[in-house]
Amino acid sequence: QVQLVESGGGLVQAGDSLRLSCAASGRTFTSYTLGWFRQTPQKERELVATINWNGDDTFYATSVKGRFTASRDNAKNMGYLQMRSLKPEDAARYYCAADTDGSGYRYWGRGTQVTVWGQGTQDTVSS
């Protein structure tokens, strides 16, 4: 079993940065890949980034490549998603998830809300 708790979401202006955290407990942290996903009521859940057990293999969605960075601190059982140059279209509820055996993400946190405003629009997700 893996328990995941996200934090760090909030309201930011377009162009700002935000760092999300994922606190993990339960199964040995270094035994699984972490994934970051996001979802809005208008869109299907989207894979944003993944990071393997030791952090030397990452994946990013095209929409966030070059702006988002996934990392992990295995000593602290923490995963992070550093988000830079945020855009209104990045507004979503962000989730971290664990893939413990390569068959998919079976363990999920409850998510943290990210709202980005600016450029005359405000995109938000109601929890």
Side-chain angles (χ1 to χ4, degrees), residues 97-111:
D99 178 1
T100 59
D101 58 6
S103 65
Y105 293 90
R106 290 193 294 163
Y107 301 98
W108 294 80
R110 294 187 175 184

Side-chain angles (χ1 to χ4, degrees), residues 3-125:
Q3 293 78 42
L4 302 169
V5 179
E6 302 91 338
S7 62
L11 172 65
V12 296
Q13 190 173 4
D16 284 353
S17 299
L18 203 60
R19 189 178 80 158
L20 306 183
S21 299
C22 176
S25 60
R27 186 168 175 161
T28 302
F29 188 63
T30 53
S31 69
Y32 51 86
T33 293
L34 280 179
W36 287 94
F37 295 78
R38 64 187 182 187
Q39 189 168 22
T40 71
Q42 297 78 27
K43 298 180 183 178
E44 292 186 356
R45 186 173 60 198
E46 175 189 16
L47 174 63
V48 175
T50 68
I51 182 167
N52 74 329
W53 72 275
N54 65 355
D56 68 357
D57 187 19
T58 55
F59 164 84
Y60 297 97
T62 300
S63 58
V64 306
K65 194 173 294 184
R67 299 188 298 120
F68 289 14
T69 303
S71 63
R72 62 193 295 163
D73 185 337
N74 289 342
K76 297 181 179 179
N77 288 0
M78 294 292 296
Y80 303 99
L81 184 68
Q82 178 68 51
M83 305 185 294
R84 298 180 177 87
S85 302
L86 282 162
K87 305 175 182 180
E89 53 264 42
D90 293 319
R93 193 162 188 84
Y94 283 73
Y95 300 86
C96 67
D99 178 1
T100 59
D101 58 6
S103 65
Y105 293 90
R106 290 193 294 163
Y107 301 98
W108 294 80
R110 294 187 175 184
T112 186
Q113 182 175 315
V114 174
T115 304
V116 185
W117 68 276
Q119 299 178 2
T121 63
Q122 178 171 351
D123 289 344
T124 186
V125 175

